[in-house]
Short mmCIF file of all heavy atoms in Angstrom, two decimals:
data_model
loop_
_atom_site.label_atom_id
_atom_site.label_comp_id
_atom_site.label_asym_id
_atom_site.label_seq_id
_atom_site.Cartn_x
_atom_site.Cartn_y
_atom_site.Cartn_z
N GLN A 111 -0.04 87.56 121.36
CA GLN A 111 -1.14 88.49 121.09
C GLN A 111 -2.10 87.93 119.98
O GLN A 111 -3.33 88.10 120.08
CB GLN A 111 -0.60 89.87 120.61
CG GLN A 111 0.07 90.63 121.71
CD GLN A 111 0.74 91.92 121.21
OE1 GLN A 111 0.73 92.20 120.01
NE2 GLN A 111 1.22 92.70 122.13
N ALA A 112 -1.57 87.25 119.04
CA ALA A 112 -2.32 86.73 117.94
C ALA A 112 -3.17 85.46 118.45
O ALA A 112 -4.22 85.13 117.95
CB ALA A 112 -1.46 86.20 116.78
N ARG A 113 -2.70 84.84 119.53
CA ARG A 113 -3.44 83.59 120.05
C ARG A 113 -4.39 83.93 121.13
O ARG A 113 -5.25 82.92 121.46
CB ARG A 113 -2.37 82.62 120.60
CG ARG A 113 -1.44 82.02 119.55
CD ARG A 113 -0.75 80.81 120.10
NE ARG A 113 -0.07 80.93 121.32
CZ ARG A 113 1.14 81.39 121.49
NH1 ARG A 113 1.87 81.81 120.46
NH2 ARG A 113 1.70 81.46 122.80
N VAL A 114 -4.44 85.06 121.76
CA VAL A 114 -5.33 85.25 122.82
C VAL A 114 -6.78 85.24 122.47
O VAL A 114 -7.11 85.72 121.33
CB VAL A 114 -5.03 86.59 123.63
CG1 VAL A 114 -3.70 86.58 124.34
CG2 VAL A 114 -5.20 87.77 122.72
N GLU A 115 -7.64 84.71 123.28
CA GLU A 115 -9.10 84.67 123.04
C GLU A 115 -9.81 85.41 124.04
O GLU A 115 -9.48 85.22 125.25
CB GLU A 115 -9.57 83.19 123.01
CG GLU A 115 -8.86 82.31 121.87
CD GLU A 115 -9.29 80.84 121.99
OE1 GLU A 115 -10.06 80.50 122.96
OE2 GLU A 115 -8.76 80.02 121.17
N PRO A 116 -10.79 86.22 123.70
CA PRO A 116 -11.37 87.02 124.73
C PRO A 116 -12.35 86.21 125.65
O PRO A 116 -12.98 85.33 125.19
CB PRO A 116 -12.23 88.08 123.91
CG PRO A 116 -12.45 87.37 122.60
CD PRO A 116 -11.20 86.55 122.34
N VAL A 117 -12.39 86.60 126.88
CA VAL A 117 -13.39 86.04 127.88
C VAL A 117 -14.42 87.12 128.10
O VAL A 117 -14.11 88.24 128.57
CB VAL A 117 -12.67 85.73 129.23
CG1 VAL A 117 -13.77 85.24 130.16
CG2 VAL A 117 -11.64 84.63 129.01
N TYR A 118 -15.66 86.91 127.68
CA TYR A 118 -16.72 87.83 127.68
C TYR A 118 -17.62 87.76 128.94
O TYR A 118 -17.87 86.69 129.40
CB TYR A 118 -17.62 87.75 126.40
CG TYR A 118 -16.94 88.26 125.10
CD1 TYR A 118 -16.65 87.39 124.14
CD2 TYR A 118 -16.53 89.55 125.07
CE1 TYR A 118 -15.99 87.85 122.92
CE2 TYR A 118 -15.90 90.07 123.85
CZ TYR A 118 -15.63 89.17 122.83
OH TYR A 118 -15.07 89.56 121.60
N GLU A 119 -18.15 88.90 129.22
CA GLU A 119 -19.30 88.99 130.14
C GLU A 119 -20.45 89.67 129.34
O GLU A 119 -20.20 90.65 128.58
CB GLU A 119 -18.96 89.96 131.29
CG GLU A 119 -19.96 90.05 132.39
CD GLU A 119 -19.49 90.93 133.51
OE1 GLU A 119 -18.33 91.32 133.52
OE2 GLU A 119 -20.31 91.22 134.40
N THR A 120 -21.70 89.15 129.43
CA THR A 120 -22.74 89.68 128.63
C THR A 120 -23.66 90.51 129.56
O THR A 120 -24.06 90.05 130.60
CB THR A 120 -23.65 88.54 128.00
OG1 THR A 120 -22.69 87.74 127.19
CG2 THR A 120 -24.73 89.09 127.21
N LEU A 121 -23.92 91.79 129.15
CA LEU A 121 -24.79 92.68 129.83
C LEU A 121 -26.05 92.99 129.03
O LEU A 121 -26.09 92.89 127.79
CB LEU A 121 -24.05 94.01 130.08
CG LEU A 121 -22.64 93.97 130.80
CD1 LEU A 121 -22.07 95.34 130.80
CD2 LEU A 121 -22.82 93.45 132.20
N GLU A 122 -27.12 93.36 129.67
CA GLU A 122 -28.41 93.70 129.10
C GLU A 122 -28.20 95.06 128.40
O GLU A 122 -27.63 96.02 128.96
CB GLU A 122 -29.45 93.78 130.14
CG GLU A 122 -30.90 94.03 129.62
CD GLU A 122 -31.90 94.18 130.70
OE1 GLU A 122 -31.69 93.72 131.80
OE2 GLU A 122 -32.98 94.64 130.45
N GLY A 123 -28.80 95.16 127.18
CA GLY A 123 -28.73 96.44 126.49
C GLY A 123 -29.82 97.30 126.93
O GLY A 123 -30.53 97.08 127.92
N TRP A 124 -30.10 98.43 126.19
CA TRP A 124 -31.17 99.38 126.48
C TRP A 124 -31.84 99.81 125.22
O TRP A 124 -31.28 99.81 124.13
CB TRP A 124 -30.68 100.57 127.28
CG TRP A 124 -29.46 101.34 126.54
CD1 TRP A 124 -29.59 102.30 125.65
CD2 TRP A 124 -28.08 101.08 126.75
NE1 TRP A 124 -28.29 102.71 125.29
CE2 TRP A 124 -27.41 101.95 125.93
CE3 TRP A 124 -27.35 100.13 127.50
CZ2 TRP A 124 -26.02 101.99 125.81
CZ3 TRP A 124 -26.00 100.24 127.41
CH2 TRP A 124 -25.34 101.15 126.56
N LYS A 125 -33.15 100.08 125.35
CA LYS A 125 -33.92 100.49 124.19
C LYS A 125 -34.07 101.94 124.05
O LYS A 125 -34.37 102.45 122.95
CB LYS A 125 -35.35 99.78 124.24
CG LYS A 125 -35.32 98.30 124.16
CD LYS A 125 -34.68 97.82 122.85
CE LYS A 125 -34.57 96.35 122.72
NZ LYS A 125 -33.78 95.92 121.53
N GLY A 126 -33.89 102.73 125.12
CA GLY A 126 -34.02 104.15 125.05
C GLY A 126 -32.77 104.73 124.37
O GLY A 126 -31.86 104.01 123.93
N THR A 127 -32.70 106.04 124.23
CA THR A 127 -31.62 106.67 123.53
C THR A 127 -30.70 107.36 124.56
O THR A 127 -31.21 108.04 125.49
CB THR A 127 -32.13 107.62 122.46
OG1 THR A 127 -30.94 108.24 121.80
CG2 THR A 127 -32.98 108.82 122.99
N THR A 128 -29.39 107.35 124.27
CA THR A 128 -28.50 108.21 125.03
C THR A 128 -28.04 109.39 124.29
O THR A 128 -27.31 110.24 124.75
CB THR A 128 -27.20 107.32 125.43
OG1 THR A 128 -26.56 106.92 124.24
CG2 THR A 128 -27.64 106.10 126.19
N ALA A 129 -28.34 109.42 122.93
CA ALA A 129 -27.85 110.49 122.05
C ALA A 129 -28.32 111.87 122.53
O ALA A 129 -29.46 112.14 122.75
CB ALA A 129 -28.35 110.27 120.65
N GLY A 130 -27.30 112.76 122.71
CA GLY A 130 -27.58 114.17 123.14
C GLY A 130 -27.88 114.27 124.58
O GLY A 130 -28.21 115.42 125.10
N ALA A 131 -27.71 113.24 125.45
CA ALA A 131 -27.93 113.39 126.83
C ALA A 131 -26.91 114.35 127.46
O ALA A 131 -25.76 114.30 127.18
CB ALA A 131 -27.88 112.02 127.54
N ARG A 132 -27.40 115.20 128.41
CA ARG A 132 -26.46 116.15 129.08
C ARG A 132 -26.50 115.97 130.61
O ARG A 132 -25.85 116.84 131.33
CB ARG A 132 -26.80 117.54 128.67
CG ARG A 132 -26.60 117.80 127.12
CD ARG A 132 -26.79 119.23 126.74
NE ARG A 132 -26.69 119.33 125.29
CZ ARG A 132 -26.79 120.46 124.60
NH1 ARG A 132 -26.92 121.68 125.26
NH2 ARG A 132 -26.67 120.55 123.27
N SER A 133 -27.21 114.97 131.08
CA SER A 133 -27.15 114.73 132.50
C SER A 133 -27.44 113.23 132.65
O SER A 133 -28.02 112.53 131.78
CB SER A 133 -28.24 115.50 133.27
OG SER A 133 -29.55 114.92 133.06
N TRP A 134 -27.02 112.69 133.83
CA TRP A 134 -27.27 111.24 134.13
C TRP A 134 -28.75 110.89 134.00
O TRP A 134 -29.14 109.76 133.64
CB TRP A 134 -26.70 110.82 135.51
CG TRP A 134 -25.21 110.90 135.56
CD1 TRP A 134 -24.44 111.81 136.17
CD2 TRP A 134 -24.31 109.98 135.03
NE1 TRP A 134 -23.13 111.52 136.02
CE2 TRP A 134 -22.98 110.30 135.32
CE3 TRP A 134 -24.47 108.72 134.27
CZ2 TRP A 134 -21.90 109.58 134.89
CZ3 TRP A 134 -23.37 108.05 133.91
CH2 TRP A 134 -22.05 108.48 134.16
N ASN A 135 -29.59 111.83 134.47
CA ASN A 135 -31.07 111.53 134.44
C ASN A 135 -31.62 111.34 133.06
O ASN A 135 -32.71 110.85 132.88
CB ASN A 135 -31.80 112.78 135.15
CG ASN A 135 -31.45 112.79 136.62
OD1 ASN A 135 -31.20 111.85 137.26
ND2 ASN A 135 -31.60 114.04 137.22
N ASP A 136 -30.89 111.81 132.07
CA ASP A 136 -31.35 111.66 130.61
C ASP A 136 -30.99 110.31 130.09
O ASP A 136 -31.46 109.94 128.98
CB ASP A 136 -30.64 112.68 129.73
CG ASP A 136 -31.06 114.11 130.05
OD1 ASP A 136 -32.09 114.38 130.65
OD2 ASP A 136 -30.28 115.04 129.78
N LEU A 137 -30.20 109.46 130.80
CA LEU A 137 -29.80 108.21 130.29
C LEU A 137 -30.70 107.06 130.76
O LEU A 137 -31.22 107.08 131.90
CB LEU A 137 -28.34 107.93 130.86
CG LEU A 137 -27.27 108.79 130.40
CD1 LEU A 137 -25.97 108.51 131.15
CD2 LEU A 137 -27.06 108.90 128.94
N PRO A 138 -30.95 106.07 129.92
CA PRO A 138 -31.62 104.88 130.35
C PRO A 138 -30.89 104.22 131.52
O PRO A 138 -29.63 104.17 131.57
CB PRO A 138 -31.66 103.96 129.09
CG PRO A 138 -31.37 104.90 127.95
CD PRO A 138 -30.54 105.98 128.47
N ALA A 139 -31.62 103.50 132.37
CA ALA A 139 -30.98 102.89 133.57
C ALA A 139 -29.93 101.94 133.22
O ALA A 139 -28.80 101.88 133.88
CB ALA A 139 -32.07 102.28 134.44
N GLN A 140 -30.11 101.12 132.17
CA GLN A 140 -29.20 100.14 131.78
C GLN A 140 -27.90 100.77 131.12
O GLN A 140 -26.79 100.19 131.32
CB GLN A 140 -29.75 99.11 130.72
CG GLN A 140 -30.68 98.09 131.31
CD GLN A 140 -30.03 97.33 132.41
OE1 GLN A 140 -30.65 97.19 133.52
NE2 GLN A 140 -28.97 96.73 132.18
N ALA A 141 -28.05 101.89 130.55
CA ALA A 141 -26.89 102.63 130.06
C ALA A 141 -26.01 103.13 131.21
O ALA A 141 -24.76 103.01 131.18
CB ALA A 141 -27.28 103.76 129.14
N VAL A 142 -26.62 103.65 132.24
CA VAL A 142 -25.90 104.03 133.45
C VAL A 142 -25.23 102.86 134.05
O VAL A 142 -24.03 102.96 134.48
CB VAL A 142 -26.90 104.66 134.49
CG1 VAL A 142 -26.14 105.06 135.77
CG2 VAL A 142 -27.47 105.96 133.89
N LYS A 143 -25.92 101.68 134.18
CA LYS A 143 -25.33 100.47 134.65
C LYS A 143 -24.09 100.07 133.86
O LYS A 143 -23.07 99.62 134.48
CB LYS A 143 -26.36 99.35 134.68
CG LYS A 143 -26.03 98.11 135.43
CD LYS A 143 -27.13 97.06 135.41
CE LYS A 143 -26.63 95.77 136.11
NZ LYS A 143 -27.84 94.81 136.11
N TYR A 144 -24.18 100.14 132.59
CA TYR A 144 -23.07 99.83 131.68
C TYR A 144 -21.84 100.69 131.99
O TYR A 144 -20.69 100.18 132.13
CB TYR A 144 -23.43 99.95 130.21
CG TYR A 144 -22.40 99.64 129.25
CD1 TYR A 144 -22.02 98.33 128.94
CD2 TYR A 144 -21.73 100.64 128.45
CE1 TYR A 144 -21.01 98.01 128.03
CE2 TYR A 144 -20.76 100.32 127.55
CZ TYR A 144 -20.38 99.02 127.29
OH TYR A 144 -19.44 98.68 126.39
N VAL A 145 -22.11 101.97 132.09
CA VAL A 145 -20.96 102.92 132.39
C VAL A 145 -20.33 102.65 133.77
O VAL A 145 -19.09 102.57 133.93
CB VAL A 145 -21.52 104.39 132.34
CG1 VAL A 145 -20.34 105.34 132.77
CG2 VAL A 145 -21.99 104.72 130.89
N ARG A 146 -21.18 102.40 134.68
CA ARG A 146 -20.71 102.10 136.11
C ARG A 146 -19.86 100.77 136.12
O ARG A 146 -18.79 100.64 136.83
CB ARG A 146 -21.81 102.06 137.07
CG ARG A 146 -22.55 103.35 137.26
CD ARG A 146 -21.62 104.45 137.66
NE ARG A 146 -22.31 105.72 138.06
CZ ARG A 146 -21.73 106.93 138.06
NH1 ARG A 146 -20.44 107.04 137.64
NH2 ARG A 146 -22.41 107.94 138.35
N HIS A 147 -20.33 99.82 135.35
CA HIS A 147 -19.64 98.56 135.25
C HIS A 147 -18.25 98.67 134.66
O HIS A 147 -17.30 98.07 135.05
CB HIS A 147 -20.50 97.52 134.57
CG HIS A 147 -20.01 96.07 134.74
ND1 HIS A 147 -19.75 95.60 135.97
CD2 HIS A 147 -19.64 95.13 133.83
CE1 HIS A 147 -19.34 94.31 135.83
NE2 HIS A 147 -19.27 94.00 134.58
N ILE A 148 -18.20 99.49 133.58
CA ILE A 148 -16.89 99.77 132.95
C ILE A 148 -15.99 100.34 133.88
O ILE A 148 -14.78 100.04 133.96
CB ILE A 148 -17.14 100.59 131.64
CG1 ILE A 148 -17.63 99.78 130.54
CG2 ILE A 148 -15.84 101.31 131.28
CD1 ILE A 148 -17.94 100.56 129.29
N GLU A 149 -16.41 101.38 134.69
CA GLU A 149 -15.53 101.99 135.73
C GLU A 149 -14.94 100.90 136.62
O GLU A 149 -13.79 100.96 137.00
CB GLU A 149 -16.38 102.99 136.51
CG GLU A 149 -16.72 104.28 135.80
CD GLU A 149 -17.47 105.24 136.75
OE1 GLU A 149 -18.42 104.74 137.44
OE2 GLU A 149 -17.13 106.44 136.76
N GLU A 150 -15.82 99.97 137.07
CA GLU A 150 -15.33 98.96 137.97
C GLU A 150 -14.27 98.07 137.30
O GLU A 150 -13.19 97.70 137.92
CB GLU A 150 -16.56 98.06 138.42
CG GLU A 150 -17.54 98.71 139.34
CD GLU A 150 -18.79 97.90 139.56
OE1 GLU A 150 -18.72 96.65 139.17
OE2 GLU A 150 -19.75 98.39 140.16
#
């Protein structure tokens, strides 16, 4: 566990805000993409 090194994938961030969003339509497109990728 002490020796493992992470293998990363880099995703594009987003400039809009997700704070206080209460529907998918309130989220920036890249934020939605991030969530969907995590699910996968």
Side-chain angles (χ1 to χ4, degrees):
Q111 289 176 358
R113 294 197 308 277
V114 295
E115 299 172 1
V117 177
Y118 287 117
E119 183 179 356
T120 301
L121 304 175
E122 183 183 344
W124 55 89
K125 294 303 179 187
T127 181
T128 64
R132 298 186 182 183
S133 76
W134 289 105
N135 294 331
D136 297 335
L137 297 175
Q140 284 303 129
V142 175
K143 187 176 177 180
Y144 180 74
V145 173
R146 295 304 187 202
H147 194 53
I148 281 177
E149 288 181 314
E150 292 172 10

